[in-house]
Each structure stands twice: as C-alpha cells, then as structure tokens.
C-alpha cells in the first residue's frame, strides 16, 4: 500500500498482510483511517501489482492538479 500527500510526496509505502483482496481493503482502509489519511491519495495493490483500490490525486479542470 502507498499513501501520498496532495503534492505527491510519499507518506507511506508498506505491505498489508492479507489473505484476499477484501481483507486487504479492510486492513488498508483501517490503517489509512487510524493514521488520518482518509482524504489523501492512496493505492492498495496485490503483490503481483494488480490494483485493488485507488484514490487519485485531486484534479480541478479549471485550476489544474492539486489546487483548491
């Protein structure tokens, strides 16, 4: 799982020990919530690289990426 801030800086990059995709999502979302990163971009992926969950960086059509 990787978690980034809105500027794209890496905040966390580590494994989730799960037996299936649903458990990985549950554990990943719990970690994200416990660490206050609910609104930050993240990826949860299988060891093979298959994407399980993805929250992209914000993008505003009129203002560009990462701008409020």
């Amino acid at each position: 799982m990787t978690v980034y801030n809105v500027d794209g800086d890496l905040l966390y990059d580590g494994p989730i020990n799960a037996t299936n995709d649903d458990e990985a999502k549950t554990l990943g979302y719990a970690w994200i919530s416990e660490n206050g990163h609910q609104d930050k971009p993240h990826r949860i992926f299988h060891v093979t690289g298959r994407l399980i969950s993805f929250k992209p960086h914000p993008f505003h059509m009129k203002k560009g990426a990462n701008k409020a």
Side-chain angles (χ1 to χ4, degrees):
M1 176 173 73
T2 54
V3 180
Y4 302 89
N5 67 16
V6 294
D7 294 323
D9 299 320
L10 184 64
L11 300 175
Y12 178 80
D13 183 9
I16 297 173
N17 295 316
T19 57
N20 59 50
D21 291 354
D22 289 333
E23 184 181 13
K25 283 182 191 179
T26 299
L27 293 173
Y29 294 155
W31 187 95
I32 288 168
S33 180
E34 290 167 5
N35 289 277
H37 298 312
Q38 305 89 306
D39 297 328
K40 295 186 176 80
H42 67 266
R43 297 180 302 190
I44 300 173
F45 48 92
H46 190 272
V47 68
T48 63
R50 179 174 40 83
L51 193 60
I52 296 171
S53 178
F54 176 69
K55 180 174 182 174
H57 286 83
F59 184 84
H60 303 282
M61 293 299 290
K62 292 185 179 184
K63 297 180 182 182
N66 302 329
K67 297 184 180 176

